[in-house]
Amino acid sequence: MKNTHPQGSAQTLAGRITEWLTFDNMHHQWLLLAACFWVIFMFMVASKFITLTFKDPDAYSAKQEFLFLTAVPDAGKLPGVKHFPEELKPTGKVPSDSRLVQPLVYVERLELIRNVCRDEALKNLSHTSVSKFVLDRIFVCDKHKILFCQTPKVGNTQWKKVLIVLNGAFPSIEEIPENVVHDHEKNGLPRLSSFSDAEIQKRLKTYFKFFIVRDPFERLISAFKDKFVHNPRFEPWYRHEIAPGIIRKYRKNRTETRGIQFEDFVRYLGDPNHRWLDLQFGDHIIHWVTYVELCAPCEIKYSVIGHHETLEDDAPYILKEAGIDHLVSYPTIPPGITVYNKTKVERYFLGISKRDIRRLYARFEGDFKLFGYQKPDFLLN
């Protein structure tokens, strides 16, 4: 009987060698394929980066500038670097990419205010004393070290609700009755004027401070509609006391029997001698006096100035900078409600003399300049 075992072993060994070579060859092929995919992927990433970098050099430089601001611990010690006041120092928190450039907007707003405040030609329109009238406009949240200056007809009701919740008077914004928001005996919002001089100065120096503005002429239209036309809160003194006083002094046609018209309102506000009537009206004038008279932006160094027109972005930013974004949210903003409406402005000023409009602008020029609103040449010329 023949022994065939050696031959079978050889065949088995050859088969295993062949399988190993085949597997090794396939392994190298997969490695080569993976390497090719990796090279293609890296090329795509590099191409995307190059495209973004060179397609918009201005945006890139803006991002670089913001990163520089957030990274430098003490810019005041570096030669050639602009030093920001305490309120402007960056928080060190780098936001998400979609909001990376945005904080520069708020820095520029504060820089504009400082520049206008230094303009001697506008001094009478940009400066005011920090009087009790101003301190009465500033609401205090000691728990979170926040000061909010009230600028009526710029969405202030919602900001009051935010502070009421933060002060603990109500657990949520939805639970605050509308009649409580503006009742200062019930809403739990102390005014800065209620503190001693030392306590006032302490809060002005150390608290987060902000207020909101909107186009000055559009704000006046809102005030006129709210107080003299619709009057939703049933405040009869506007129609029965203030309106007759304005009509008696400023209506040209004495035989006209209609209620107060926007033209009467404009003449009153643009009159250089309006103050004697203001004294008769008392604090009700807060709805139409200038932002300068309300909040003294040249005397008080605010942390953030929000704009009604960009409130969708500004409200979350203010909450974040104040360190309260995890505690409360700004109420939902109806679509389009904050957009500047030039057509509405033109309609309200239609028929009003250029002289009266120019006098009105002369009074509110400080507000236009301080907060970067465009001069309404379409009404003045």
Side-chain angles (χ1 to χ4, degrees), residues 317-368:
Y317 177 78
I318 289 169
L319 295 177
K320 181 178 180 182
E321 287 299 293
I324 55 175
D325 55 321
H326 62 294
L327 299 174
V328 66
S329 297
Y330 188 83
T332 302
I333 302 170
I337 197 171
T338 63
V339 177
Y340 173 70
N341 190 336
K342 182 180 177 181
T343 302
K344 179 179 68 177
V345 174
E346 289 177 319
R347 185 174 71 250
Y348 267 83
F349 280 92
L350 184 66
I352 299 178
S353 72
K354 298 297 182 185
R355 169 185 172 274
D356 290 337
I357 299 176
R358 288 173 187 142
R359 289 177 65 165
L360 181 69
Y361 177 76
R363 178 180 175 185
F364 286 85
E365 183 180 6
D367 282 359
F368 277 93

Side-chain angles (χ1 to χ4, degrees), residues 59 62-64 66-67 70 91-104 106 313 316-317 320-321 325:
K63 291 183 180 182
Q64 291 292 89
F66 174 74
L67 289 173
T70 56
T91 61
K93 302 174 184 177
V94 179
S96 62
D97 290 343
S98 63
R99 305 181 68 82
L100 191 59
V101 183
Q102 199 162 18
L104 288 176
Y106 308 106
D313 294 323
Y317 177 78
K320 181 178 180 182
E321 287 299 293
D325 55 321

Side-chain angles (χ1 to χ4, degrees), residues 34-168:
C36 289
F37 275 117
W38 176 254
V39 171
I40 292 171
F41 174 76
M42 292 302 294
F43 178 78
M44 291 172 64
V45 171
S47 299
K48 184 74 173 176
F49 177 79
I50 292 170
T51 301
L52 289 174
T53 302
F54 293 101
K55 186 174 182 180
D56 190 0
D58 293 334
Y60 177 73
S61 64
K63 291 183 180 182
Q64 291 292 89
E65 183 179 355
F66 174 74
L67 289 173
F68 172 76
L69 288 174
T70 56
V72 177
D74 190 354
K77 297 180 181 179
L78 298 178
V81 176
K82 189 176 293 183
H83 178 61
F84 295 102
E86 195 66 28
E87 287 79 7
L88 279 177
K89 286 185 179 179
T91 61
K93 302 174 184 177
V94 179
S96 62
D97 290 343
S98 63
R99 305 181 68 82
L100 191 59
V101 183
Q102 199 162 18
L104 288 176
V105 171
Y106 308 106
V107 173
E108 289 167 355
R109 288 176 184 174
L110 296 174
E111 181 71 18
L112 175 62
I113 290 173
R114 286 197 300 275
N115 290 337
V116 175
C117 290
R118 289 193 290 261
D119 188 340
E120 287 295 324
L122 293 171
K123 189 171 183 179
N124 290 337
L125 296 171
S126 60
H127 288 263
T128 191
S129 61
V130 184
S131 61
K132 184 179 183 300
F133 181 80
V134 172
L135 297 175
D136 278 345
R137 310 281 77 77
I138 301 176
F139 296 103
V140 182
C141 176
D142 277 329
K143 185 176 181 180
H144 299 283
K145 296 186 176 182
I146 297 171
L147 299 180
F148 166 61
C149 185
Q150 176 189 21
T151 51
K153 314 325 303 168
V154 192
N156 280 251
T157 298
Q158 306 305 330
W159 284 109
K160 279 187 177 182
K161 291 179 180 179
V162 168
L163 293 183
I164 288 170
V165 170
L166 290 173
N167 278 347

